[in-house]
Amino acid sequence: MSENRGNIGTHRVLSAALEQTADAVLITDTSGVIQYVNESFELITGYARHEAVGLRPNIVKSGRHSADFYKELWTTLRQGHPFKAVFTNCRKSGALYHESKTITPIRGDGNIITHYVATGRDISESIDLGNRLQELAYTDSLTRLPNRLRLLEAMQTHLDHRSEGAPALVLLFLDLEGFKGVNDTFGHPAGDRLLIDVARRLEDGLRPTDLIARMGGDEFAILMPWVETESGVMAVLEKLSRLFEVPFDIDDASIRLSANIGAAFADGPSEDSYAVLKKADIAMYAAKEEGVSYRFYSDAMMRHAADRFVLKNELRRASERRDFYLEYQLQVGSEDGCVRGVEALLRWRHHAGALISPAQFIPALEELGLLKQIGEWTVREVCRQLQIWRATRVPIPKISINLNAGQLSDASIVEVVREALAFYDVPPGCLEIEVVETSNLADMRKVIPVLKELKGLGASLALDDFGTGFSALTHLKDFPVNAVKIDREFIADMDSGESDMRMLRGILHFALSYGLEVIAEGVETTEQLDRLRDLSCDTVQGFLLARPMGAAEVAARAKSFPFDGPATGTLSPVRPLLREKWADDQAK
Ligand code: C2E
Ligand code: CA
Ligand code: CA
């Protein structure tokens, strides 16, 4: 009797425990029909006991587990073993939850399985937290795009599971052109907003299957796992460049950005994601260097990147040994054929005898921080040359030197110029400074005070490569320049069609209306010369008249001007000054 009462007591305690435990408890018979659920089950799932009993546990099935998962579950249970796993289940409301669950077979008489009991705990919160931490590690906090780590891992997964003959995987590496200027001009918060805009534009413009990541700074990458051909990639590249055609709005300003993109295919089976990223990165640099919107990676580029490394080492040595010298190229009046001056162009006496263009080695010198001292040397060297020419009555009234924004952002250049002019006793008007226009407006703004001081000394100023940078037309009025140099590209394009001519005419018209002298560079044919003269371009420079040459040679050459033309005799006799004619036309 007392034993019986003890049994009843135990039963009551057990069922109360079952009823009140924080774990969800569910009991089914061997055919999987629910016989019992406790209160926690009701709370967690949202199903009341009377709703659940008689149905199967699949009422909470989320569909997130594979068939294999359930197969394993049943095999384990039928063998009489408990099955333990984290289930992703579905509440009555439709919300998902994560349940750490153990299902145990219960044996009755004769050791035969009579029921299954499942006990589970809702661990959604800690799982969500883990997921969120995981998300953070893989997400760029500014744009919410996947980050570099995520891109590399996703790419590696693709590479690891790529089957023979599957379409190639393509990685695009994209670097914004002109972003630094926005940061400098409008401040970092505006720069951040711009990056977010770019991210959204990329997301909206590309397919959901493309993985778009922010790699840091103003660099983005796009992983395209299913591109069949190069022309498929081309279509995406075209699309990307269209995405950047529309300006971005920042603080009432409308900003144009462009992008340099490097494209790389992952084709070698042994390649890892880092190797592909490096290829795309190198291709991006090639695009940037060539000033084009995109380039596909080639092995030659990798060699070129290595060459650059060698180049830099050699340049460092060259500047220690002063292996630089200047060549001079004549600038001639388009009407009277008189020598207006020469442009000094930097040359490098390379030990292997190879001719390396300053367009290549000047950026490298700049990166090495050596350009400043070379610019100062150039100033002294041309002043020395001017003194010699003046003393020996060489008819070259002026030398132009090239200084880029970096060289002009430091006001110390003003002192260097002042001292050199004084030391060699050269009138300041004999020195002209060609400011290379960059696409970075902020850099250009920084040089304005320095330019004003140089102009104050009496030096004349010309804006180089006019028409190519983005400050070109609209910002001209802010620059204290006397002259603009029309870029070689426009001259070369002259022969190719009416629309290019209109462009050139527009630029000339614009410059002349500001009262600026116009110098055309890269004049190679007599047709170009004739047309430039008709367009009122004052001064011409180019291979047609003279190539860049050494100081002695150019002095001898200058003495043969003016004549009634270069070797071919095409320069026509003096006509009324075209600027006046143009001004008359305007007045009418
Ligand atoms: P730039 O200032 O536009 O110089 C004109 C370039 O055009 C020179 O190339 C010159 O040799 C070339 N050129 C002249 N006439 C013709 C022609 O009729 N046809 C063709 N196809 N080319 C012609 P170079 O000497 O290779 O200089 C390239 C650039 O390097 C220069 O472009 C300039 O931006 C830069 N640079 C040269 N010397 C210096 C320097 O001392 N300091 C700085 N900062 N930059 C320099
Ligand atoms: Ca120049
Ligand atoms: Ca130029």
Side-chain angles (χ1 to χ4, degrees), residues 127-139:
I127 290 235
D128 287 348
L129 187 68
N131 283 346
R132 240 176 299 145
L133 289 176
Q134 175 102 345
E135 271 308 296
L136 280 180
Y138 283 110
T139 310

Side-chain angles (χ1 to χ4, degrees), residues 464-465 487 521:
D464 206 351
D465 296 350
D487 192 60
E521 68 184 1

Side-chain angles (χ1 to χ4, degrees), residues 326 329 343-347 357-359 362 371 378 402-404 407 434 436 464-465 485 487-488 521-524 541-544 546 548:
L326 294 173
Q329 188 177 27
E343 175 178 7
L345 294 160
L346 191 61
R347 297 291 178 257
S357 160
I362 284 182
L371 194 56
T378 309
N402 291 281
L403 292 176
N404 64 19
Q407 294 174 288
E434 293 187 6
V436 181
D464 206 351
D465 296 350
K485 293 192 76 172
D487 192 60
R488 199 159 74 225
E521 68 184 1
V523 179
E524 293 183 351
Q541 173 183 353
F543 293 171
L544 175 69

Side-chain angles (χ1 to χ4, degrees), residues 481-535:
V481 295
N482 319 82
V484 294
K485 293 192 76 172
I486 308 247
D487 192 60
R488 199 159 74 225
E489 272 176 46
F490 290 102
I491 309 304
D493 287 348
M494 259 169 94
D495 312 321
S496 62
E498 194 42 40
S499 72
D500 292 313
M501 271 305 278
R502 248 196 320 245
M503 180 82 181
L504 181 65
R505 213 176 278 136
I507 291 175
L508 269 156
H509 186 100
F510 190 86
L512 292 173
S513 70
Y514 275 97
L516 299 170
E517 184 194 349
V518 178
I519 305 156
E521 68 184 1
V523 179
E524 293 183 351
T525 66
T526 52
E527 289 77 22
Q528 290 167 348
L529 177 63
D530 288 338
R531 293 176 96 171
L532 285 163
R533 196 188 289 124
D534 290 342
L535 288 168

